[in-house]
């Protein structure tokens, strides 16, 4: 999957540039009827979500992270947060398949549990480059619902996260 990440309930956070996502994995399809049009699938995957916005993260005292918004008059070339996850999806599947053709309609809906394995924040302007890894303010466990629908090899995919990205973070 290649995705566009769109954050909700931003309260002052502005996304800029293209916040992309990439997912790769496999699902084991287990049919539940003789015509093979209904199935349950479980899987394992990896995902990378890149968020570009005006959220600035700093760690001046070396222990606690501070969060703020970058003013619109401040120049910067890069301000991105990269989140790497291991994914565990489970799906209910319907498809109009036949044994003779791979061209068929499908609707898959599911629930995905994701575990954060790596995070990286990078801010860069003409004066400095700031990089932080291993931020303990992130929720290690993410979960949400999704739906995928498509024809042949093309699918549209939408995911709605039910848990916040941060477990504790206050904007000063």
């Amino acid at each position: 999957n290649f995705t566009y990440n769109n954050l909700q309930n931003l309260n002052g956070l502005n996304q800029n540039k293209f916040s992309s996502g990439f997912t790769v994995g496999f699902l084991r399809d287990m049919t539940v009827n003789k015509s093979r049009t209904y199935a349950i699938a479980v899987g394992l995957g990896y995902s990378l979500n890149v968020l570009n916005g005006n959220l600035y993260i700093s760690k001046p005292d070396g222990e606690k992270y501070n969060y703020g918004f970058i003013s619109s008059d401040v120049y910067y070339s890069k301000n991105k947060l990269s989140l790497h996850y291991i994914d565990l999806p489970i799906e209910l599947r319907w498809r109009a398949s036949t044994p003779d053709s791979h061209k068929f309609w499908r609707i898959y809906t599911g629930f995905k549990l994701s575990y954060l394995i790596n995070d990286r924040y990078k801010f860069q302007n003409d004066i400095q480059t700031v990089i932080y890894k291993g931020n303990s303010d992130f929720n290690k466990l993410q979960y949400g619902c999704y739906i995928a629908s498509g024809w042949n090899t093309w699918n549209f995919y939408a995911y709605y996260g039910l848990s916040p990205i941060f477990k504790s973070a206050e904007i000063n």
Side-chain angles (χ1 to χ4, degrees):
N1 290 326
F2 294 98
T3 59
Y4 170 72
N5 293 313
N6 185 19
L7 299 175
Q8 302 294 311
N9 301 324
L10 300 178
N11 298 327
L13 176 67
N14 296 319
Q15 284 185 256
N16 55 32
K17 296 186 182 179
F18 187 77
S19 293
S20 61
F22 170 76
T23 303
V24 63
F26 70 92
L27 289 152
R28 171 70 170 118
D29 187 89
M30 298 167 280
T31 58
V32 294
N33 66 338
K34 192 171 187 170
S35 62
R36 304 178 65 85
T37 54
Y38 293 98
I40 296 173
V42 294
L44 179 67
Y46 161 80
S47 61
L48 166 64
N49 292 304
V50 176
L51 306 171
N52 292 294
N54 67 337
L55 178 67
Y56 182 73
I57 301 174
S58 63
K59 195 174 180 182
D61 60 7
E63 290 185 26
K64 185 179 177 188
Y65 288 97
N66 292 322
Y67 303 91
F69 295 128
I70 301 171
S71 175
S72 60
D73 61 345
V74 173
Y75 168 78
Y76 57 93
S77 58
K78 187 172 289 196
N79 187 50
K80 75 176 184 178
L81 179 60
S82 302
L83 303 168
H84 301 262
Y85 294 97
I86 296 293
D87 299 325
L88 300 168
I90 184 167
E91 291 183 349
L92 298 174
R93 295 177 156 198
W94 171 85
R95 58 199 165 222
S97 63
T98 66
D100 304 328
S101 175
H102 294 297
K103 294 181 180 180
F104 55 84
W105 287 101
R106 69 183 57 79
I107 298 174
Y108 301 160
T109 183
F111 182 82
K112 182 169 67 171
L113 186 64
S114 300
Y115 184 77
L116 182 67
I117 57 172
N118 189 22
D119 62 87
R120 182 175 187 254
Y121 169 76
K122 183 174 183 179
F123 174 85
Q124 187 172 12
N125 64 12
D126 293 339
I127 301 167
Q128 66 179 344
T129 298
V130 175
I131 297 174
Y132 297 117
K133 298 178 182 180
N135 186 336
S136 60
D137 291 339
F138 288 116
N139 269 327
K140 288 283 192 183
L141 204 57
Q142 296 288 312
Y143 52 90
C145 300
Y146 64 90
I147 187 166
S149 179
W151 164 258
N152 196 8
T153 58
W154 292 94
N155 290 295
F156 293 97
Y157 173 87
Y159 171 82
Y160 187 81
L162 299 171
S163 59
I165 294 172
F166 288 96
K167 64 180 172 187
S168 61
E170 292 182 14
I171 304 297
N172 52 10

